[in-house]
Amino acid sequence: MPKVLLSLPEPDLHVIDAAARKAGETRSAFLRRVALAEAHRVHAPIDDPANRRALSALLRRAERREPMSTAEALKARDRGRR
């Protein structure tokens, strides 16, 4: 089996080792399992960089807006419900 050299900051290594112990696995088995799980994971729309940028822009715009009062929010919600 090929071996791979992997550089990790020491604090991250401590977290990984603790998680591997908790799972009852060796460090290698734990890293293999989580790496394969991530590789096979179905990606969510937010994983797309374009979607992430669009969401960030939307959140920045929302932060710049004046807050709505409860009455304004209820009026906006009920608009067109008649």
Side-chain angles (χ1 to χ4, degrees):
M1 179 179 307
K3 298 205 183 251
V4 177
L5 176 63
L6 179 67
S7 298
L8 295 169
E10 195 163 339
D12 292 350
L13 190 57
H14 292 304
V15 172
I16 291 167
D17 285 343
R21 277 193 304 277
K22 186 177 177 183
E25 297 175 304
T26 64
R27 181 191 296 161
S28 292
F30 177 79
L31 288 173
R32 179 179 185 272
R33 181 174 56 81
V34 298
L36 287 172
E38 176 62 20
H40 293 120
R41 183 171 66 99
V42 174
H43 295 286
I46 196 64
D47 293 333
D48 179 6
N51 289 346
R52 191 177 297 270
R53 283 190 303 275
L55 178 60
S56 293
L58 181 64
L59 291 174
R60 282 192 304 275
R61 278 186 23 213
E63 288 171 352
R64 289 192 302 261
R65 290 190 62 183
E66 289 294 318
M68 268 185 161
S69 70
T70 302
E72 290 170 324
L74 291 174
K75 189 186 288 186
R77 179 196 71 184
D78 295 336
R79 200 173 294 134
R81 285 191 171 189
R82 297 177 188 180

